[in-house]
């Protein structure tokens, strides 16, 4: 498929136009976060030396600069503190309504995580509503492997969704 | 002997939706700047700091400084570089130029900021905004375009402090009316409270006039020392008395305040800049604060100490930001009405404060001797404050 106005980009993937993270191991030392998401786990890194839990995950501890980190689970459920709903003029890549919420997952450092809310029509959400992790597939990452050709690396991402009552 | 930094001159091109290339806008603004100081020639300038964030995405141009140097006829010998702090880029450039001229590493520095944001296909600039915030953790949630984030901020301010939609609208009205006669502003129309209150919804509670537009534009100023400045001008000198730039987080989940309407980083930036400038909030006669949204100005007047925390809505709603009020704010129209070509905004603010302190602003604040500029950038991730005065810090 040609890119309008730039015929040389036919069938080529420009990562500079990719709205999703480069999640693959080849491009991201925090690839484990995304692998955990695929198992339905919302995780981050904890420093095994000083005990600090950081969000988002790191490759060094921002407190003591240790590289001795491990993945720990964050809660999959939380409560909405405040939310906004965008119905008209939703930007490319997102569907209307585009709902954002500050969510309290009840533990540090995840007491005010800003996330998109999916699987929810406009006008039904309320402050204090319970939401849960929602993991969904996003387009695979095409990685040029030289003689092996292009390998498609599966990707997922997350949002939160209302807990069905 | 200490070298004191001053802002010598400044100018900007017409801001708005421009039928022009990025380098055209920089040339127009450089000409406007040197028109403001006819004794200064391009050959007198030994340093160039270019502030642009979207050149890389919207004009396919990185390493912008040499490109701009050549186009504006400057041949730097002390510094030729670009800085990128998005909405604070212009202020960052002024701070860096101040440090260089104070240290003696440069003598006369041109600080030039600008963006060409309207691309041939409209989707691209909106889509590229995903890069304005932490891409993998906030952009990916659709937080690139800022109205949802500031809608949440406005809601929390209303929840915690009882500010009202009408008080937000008062900010838009004041700033639009300041810009109504500004020939280089993007929006040059008077606005009534009724119009502001009945405008189309963007993201509740924000409506059309609560949000700054997307803008093409450039602005240029000259930073030098007081001793050098005296060779070029008889105007009152405007000193950069104190500055601060504070960054406590990037990802929104790590926002430093207790909630989105509690701007701890703004507070720290203000306190540090006041201390460096040896003045207090009560000394500020005129300010240009970062009104990317009406709610931003409401919170900024609180956190910068012009009123008590939580009383920003009342402050703005009772005309304290207008001429004759306690601290006239955004007297050239601010971001809401001038527009916001990111890297140019801090320079536009510095130029307006320079004119106010020289007694030649369009909406002149009588006796203005100390002025302040403020920027926020990213998903409210960084705050930058500069304090200007008619006298150097002693
Ligand atoms: Zn540690």
């Amino acid at each position: 498929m040609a890119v309008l106005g730039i015929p040389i980009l036919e069938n080529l993937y420009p990562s500079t136009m990719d709205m999703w993270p480069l999640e693959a191991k080849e491009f991201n030392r925090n690839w484990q976060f995304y692998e955990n998401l695929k198992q339905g786990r919302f995780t981050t890194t904890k420093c095994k030396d000083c005990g600090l839990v950081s969000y988002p995950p790191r490759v060094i501890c921002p407190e003591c600069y240790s590289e001795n980190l491990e993945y720990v689970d964050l809660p999959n459920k939380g409560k909405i503190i405040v939310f906004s709903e965008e119905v008209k003029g939703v930007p490319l890549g997102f569907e209307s309504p585009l709902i954002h919420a500050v969510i309290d997952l009840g533990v540090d450092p995840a007491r005010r995580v800003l996330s998109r809310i999916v699987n929810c029509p406009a006008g039904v959400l309320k402050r204090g509503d319970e939401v849960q992790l929602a993991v969904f597939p996003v387009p695979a990452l095409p990685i040029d492997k030289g003689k092996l050709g292009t390998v498609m690396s599966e990707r997922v991402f997350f949002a939160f969704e209302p807990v069905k009552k | 002997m200490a070298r004191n930094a001053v802002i010598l001159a400044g100018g900007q091109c017409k801001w708005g939706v421009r039928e022009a290339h990025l380098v055209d806008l920089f040339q127009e603004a450089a000409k406007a700047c040197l028109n403001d100081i006819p004794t200064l020639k391009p050959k007198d300038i030994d340093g160039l700091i270019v502030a642009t964030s979207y050149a890389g995405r919207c004009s396919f141009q990185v390493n912008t400084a040499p490109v701009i140097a050549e186009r504006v006829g400057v041949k730097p010998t002390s510094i030729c570089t670009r800085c990128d702090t998005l909405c604070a880029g212009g202020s960052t450039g002024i701070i860096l130029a101040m440090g260089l001229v104070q240290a003696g590493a440069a003598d006369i520095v041109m600080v030039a900021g600008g963006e060409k944001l309207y691309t041939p296909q409209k989707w691209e600039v909106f889509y590229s905004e995903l890069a304005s915030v932490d891409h993998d953790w906030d952009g990916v949630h659709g937080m690139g375009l800022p109205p949802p984030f500031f809608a949440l901020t406005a809601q929390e301010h209303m929840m915690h402090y009882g500010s009202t939609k009408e008080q937000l609208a008062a900010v838009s009205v004041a700033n639009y009316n300041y810009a109504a006669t500004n020939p280089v502003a993007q929006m040059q129309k008077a606005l009534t409270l009724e119009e502001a209150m009945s405008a189309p919804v963007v993201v509740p509670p924000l409506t059309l006039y609560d949000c700054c537009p997307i803008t093409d534009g450039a602005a240029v100023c000259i930073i030098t020392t007081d001793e050098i400045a005296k060779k070029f001008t008889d105007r009152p000198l405007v000193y950069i008395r104190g500055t601060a730039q504070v960054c406590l987080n990037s990802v929104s989940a790590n926002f430093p305040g207790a909630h989105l309407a509690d701007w701890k980083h703004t507070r720290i930036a203000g306190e540090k800049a006041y201390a460096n400038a040896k003045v207090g909030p009560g000394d500020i006669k005129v300010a240009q604060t970062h009104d990317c949204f009406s709610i931003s100005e409401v919170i900024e007047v609180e956190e910068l100490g012009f009123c008590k925390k939580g009383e920003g809505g009342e402050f703005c709603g009772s005309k304290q930001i207008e001429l004759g009020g306690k601290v006239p704010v955004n007297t050239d129209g601010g971001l809401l009405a001038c527009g916001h070509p990111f890297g140019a905004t801090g320079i536009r603010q510095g130029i307006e404060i320079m004119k106010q302190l020289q007694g030649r602003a369009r909406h002149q604040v009588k006796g203005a001797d100390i002025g302040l500029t403020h920027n926020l950038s990213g998903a409210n991730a960084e705050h930058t404050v500069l304090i200007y005065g008619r006298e150097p810090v002693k």
Side-chain angles (χ1 to χ4, degrees), chain A residues 16-21 33 55-57 82-86 91-92 94 100 112 114-116 127 157-158, chain B residues 57 123-124 127 130 135-137 140-143 145 148-149 152 155-156 159 203-204 252-254 258-260:
Chain A
T16 50
M17 277 292 174
D18 196 340
M19 61 183 271
W20 303 105
F33 172 84
Y55 179 85
V82 64
F83 67 95
S84 69
E85 294 185 342
E86 189 171 10
L92 183 66
F94 300 95
H100 290 101
R112 293 185 59 90
L114 219 155
S115 171
R116 195 153 64 95
R127 288 174 189 164
F157 203 70
F158 74 94
Chain B
R57 288 203 73 83
W123 64 269
E124 189 180 352
Y127 190 79
L130 295 173
H135 178 280
D136 286 6
W137 300 95
V140 75
H141 283 293
M143 295 297 291
L145 288 167
F149 185 87
L152 294 167
Q155 285 189 44
E156 290 211 289
M159 280 164 65
V203 184
S252 59
N254 296 320
H259 47 71
L260 291 177

Side-chain angles (χ1 to χ4, degrees), chain A residues 44-45 52-56 74 105 107-113, chain B residues 253-254:
Chain A
T44 194
T45 49
L52 184 77
V53 180
S54 307
Y55 179 85
L74 290 168
L105 293 178
V107 298
D108 286 331
R111 294 189 182 273
R112 293 185 59 90
V113 172
Chain B
N254 296 320

Side-chain angles (χ1 to χ4, degrees), chain A residues 47 50 61 64:
Chain A
C47 176
C50 78
C61 170
C64 73

Side-chain angles (χ1 to χ4, degrees), chain B residues 50-67:
Chain B
V50 172
T52 179
S53 287
Y54 270 83
R57 288 203 73 83
C58 293
S59 304
F60 212 147
Q61 183 68 64
V62 297
N63 195 20
T64 329
V67 177

Side-chain angles (χ1 to χ4, degrees), chain A residues 135-153:
Chain A
V135 179
F136 48 86
V138 300
L141 178 67
I143 305 175
D144 181 355
K145 292 280 190 181
K147 282 179 191 160
L148 294 173
T150 292
V151 172
M152 301 301 283
S153 175

